[in-house]
Amino acid sequence: MKALQDKIQQEGKVVSSTILKVDSFMNHQIDVQFMAKIGQEFARIFENEGITKVITIEASGIAPAMAAASALGVPMVFAKKTKATTLDTEVYTREVKSFTRGTVYDIKVAKSAISADDRILIIDDFLAYGHAALGLANIVQESGAYLAGVGIVIEKGFQSGGALLRKNDIRVESLAIIDRMEDGKVFFQD
Amino acid sequence: MKALQDKIQQEGKVVSSTILKVDSFMNHQIDVQFMAKIGQEFARIFENEGITKVITIEASGIAPAMAAASALGVPMVFAKKTKATTLDTEVYTREVKSFTRGTVYDIKVAKSAISADDRILIIDDFLAYGHAALGLANIVQESGAYLAGVGIVIEKGFQSGGALLRKNDIRVESLAIIDRMEDGKVFFQD
């Protein structure tokens, strides 16, 4: 998505060869109009899949997932990362390791939030090592619903998440794939 | 907002006299079309305030804040609850006590995300004891920006948050105010 590559070039901050900050439009401040375009692009890519629900993980996934759900005209569900007292006790859960933060956490989705008839699109802001997205994909598979694929705003192509998901026969569609970051610059895969 | 009261009556689950679950449309699954109407209602209420930015707190505030920002045509910022390695080191921060969860956490907003020229609308999903909203209001005040008010989807009128904010001369607009919850039923203030 050319407009996204341009936005990353203009506003992204390369913190290191592995860390990109996009706090001006996605991970802290949300450019709501631009996010709507991202949602429309996901809707276009998956338009033939008959998607009935979009699923993501709190918190940074919520904005792009909501935009995609809005463009598709379907509900969105965000998996919770912590034990929430007000969440259903009947939950699907997976343990996820975050390499970025060096932590392990559980993601949880209420069983009532996914039906076996659902056709699910998973959306997330970043794809790095892919453990969160794979955990969510496993939850969808356990529910019996159909997993149409995973839509990612920014994939770190130099990390293993894309390969991990594709190895598990999951369709992955990333709007921008970063090849490498050097000298404060971002280089994209075509 | 009559449609919200109806939605709460139809889909909300009264867990106890103080806990209401709205996981089917706001706090786990998001009814995106309904959330857009909530956003439009906030935009209508604050239409004369010249709002330039909507601010909320991750994670449950993001959906209503994004809907409001979309209706107002302005960016949205979500305060972070944990020390994020990819967030600006130049941050405004406040310590917030959560009575619901019995925890204390910091909320952080990058200084670059608020300008003294901004006219801010704070949005949150629930108002209970109000410490999170007050912390965010204090951050806005510290930044020098104008605080137009706080928009709440569901206020627990039987808890002290509304009084706390109003005592601090903050305009609070709640789309539904719960008077009490009894025998599994929700009773609203007019």
Side-chain angles (χ1 to χ4, degrees):
Chain A
M1 187 183 176
K2 180 65 166 57
L4 175 59
Q5 291 190 1
D6 292 346
K7 189 91 168 169
I8 293 167
Q9 294 286 19
Q10 287 158 20
E11 300 185 22
K13 288 181 187 169
V14 177
V15 177
S16 71
S17 64
T18 58
I19 297 180
L20 171 71
K21 276 177 60 171
V22 288
D23 282 355
S24 72
F25 68 90
M26 189 164 72
N27 287 125
H28 185 34
Q29 176 164 284
I30 309 286
D31 182 332
V32 176
Q33 279 72 34
F34 188 75
M35 202 54 69
K37 289 180 192 165
I38 283 177
Q40 288 154 15
E41 181 67 6
F42 283 130
R44 189 191 64 74
I45 292 169
F46 290 95
E47 66 186 346
N48 295 323
E49 288 285 4
I51 304 296
T52 61
K53 197 163 278 183
V54 172
I55 299 190
T56 189
I57 300 176
E58 65 178 0
S60 294
I62 294 175
M66 197 169 153
S70 178
L72 288 160
V74 301
M76 183 272 274
V77 172
F78 61 96
K80 304 214 174 184
K81 279 184 178 170
T82 51
K83 196 164 195 166
T85 55
T86 56
L87 189 65
D88 231 325
T89 49
E90 287 290 312
V91 295
Y92 298 111
T93 184
R94 285 294 183 284
E95 189 179 279
V96 171
K97 184 173 180 181
S98 168
F99 286 85
T100 312
R101 292 168 190 260
T103 54
V104 175
Y105 57 92
D106 283 347
I107 55 171
K108 293 163 195 269
V109 177
K111 290 186 176 173
S112 60
I114 312 181
S115 136
D117 297 332
D118 272 324
R119 297 177 66 84
I120 305 282
L121 170 60
I122 292 173
I123 295 284
D124 214 352
D125 56 335
F126 270 96
L127 178 61
Y129 293 96
H131 288 218
L134 185 61
L136 208 46
N138 288 340
I139 282 175
V140 171
Q141 287 155 349
E142 182 185 346
S143 76
Y146 170 76
L147 178 61
V150 175
I152 298 291
V153 182
I154 303 175
E155 178 178 343
K156 293 177 174 176
F158 52 88
Q159 288 173 337
S160 54
L164 176 69
L165 295 178
R166 291 176 183 109
K167 194 177 72 184
N168 280 273
D169 292 324
I170 296 168
R171 178 182 175 191
V172 182
E173 299 284 352
S174 301
L175 302 189
I177 303 179
I178 297 175
D179 184 64
R180 65 192 192 283
M181 295 187 283
E182 277 175 14
D183 302 327
K185 285 182 196 156
V186 180
F187 298 87
F188 295 99
Q189 291 181 18
D190 287 330
Chain B
M1 188 181 175
K2 180 65 166 54
L4 176 60
Q5 291 191 0
D6 292 347
K7 190 91 166 168
I8 292 167
Q9 295 286 21
Q10 286 157 20
E11 300 185 22
K13 287 179 189 171
V14 177
V15 176
S16 70
S17 62
T18 57
I19 297 180
L20 171 71
K21 278 177 59 172
V22 287
D23 281 356
S24 71
F25 69 90
M26 189 165 71
N27 287 124
H28 186 33
Q29 176 164 284
I30 308 286
D31 181 331
V32 177
Q33 280 72 34
F34 187 74
M35 202 54 70
K37 288 180 193 164
I38 283 176
Q40 288 155 14
E41 181 66 6
F42 283 129
R44 189 191 64 73
I45 292 169
F46 289 96
E47 67 184 346
N48 295 322
E49 287 285 3
I51 304 296
T52 61
K53 196 163 279 182
V54 172
I55 299 190
T56 189
I57 300 176
E58 65 178 359
S60 294
I62 293 175
M66 197 168 153
S70 179
L72 288 160
V74 301
M76 183 272 276
V77 172
F78 61 96
K80 304 215 176 184
K81 278 184 179 171
T82 51
K83 198 165 194 166
T85 55
T86 56
L87 188 66
D88 230 323
T89 50
E90 288 289 314
V91 295
Y92 298 111
T93 183
R94 286 294 182 285
E95 189 179 280
V96 171
K97 184 172 180 182
S98 168
F99 286 85
T100 312
R101 291 167 192 264
T103 55
V104 174
Y105 57 92
D106 283 347
I107 55 171
K108 295 164 194 270
V109 177
K111 290 186 177 174
S112 60
I114 312 180
S115 137
D117 297 332
D118 273 324
R119 299 177 65 85
I120 306 283
L121 171 60
I122 291 173
I123 295 283
D124 213 352
D125 57 335
F126 270 96
L127 177 62
Y129 293 97
H131 288 219
L134 184 61
L136 208 45
N138 288 339
I139 282 174
V140 171
Q141 286 156 349
E142 182 185 346
S143 76
Y146 170 76
L147 177 61
V150 175
I152 298 292
V153 183
I154 303 174
E155 178 178 344
K156 293 177 173 174
F158 52 87
Q159 289 173 337
S160 53
L164 176 70
L165 295 177
R166 291 176 184 110
K167 193 177 72 183
N168 281 271
D169 292 324
I170 296 167
R171 178 182 175 190
V172 181
E173 298 283 352
S174 301
L175 302 190
I177 302 180
I178 297 174
D179 184 64
R180 65 192 193 282
M181 295 187 283
E182 278 175 13
D183 303 327
K185 286 183 197 156
V186 180
F187 298 87
F188 296 99
Q189 290 181 16
D190 286 329

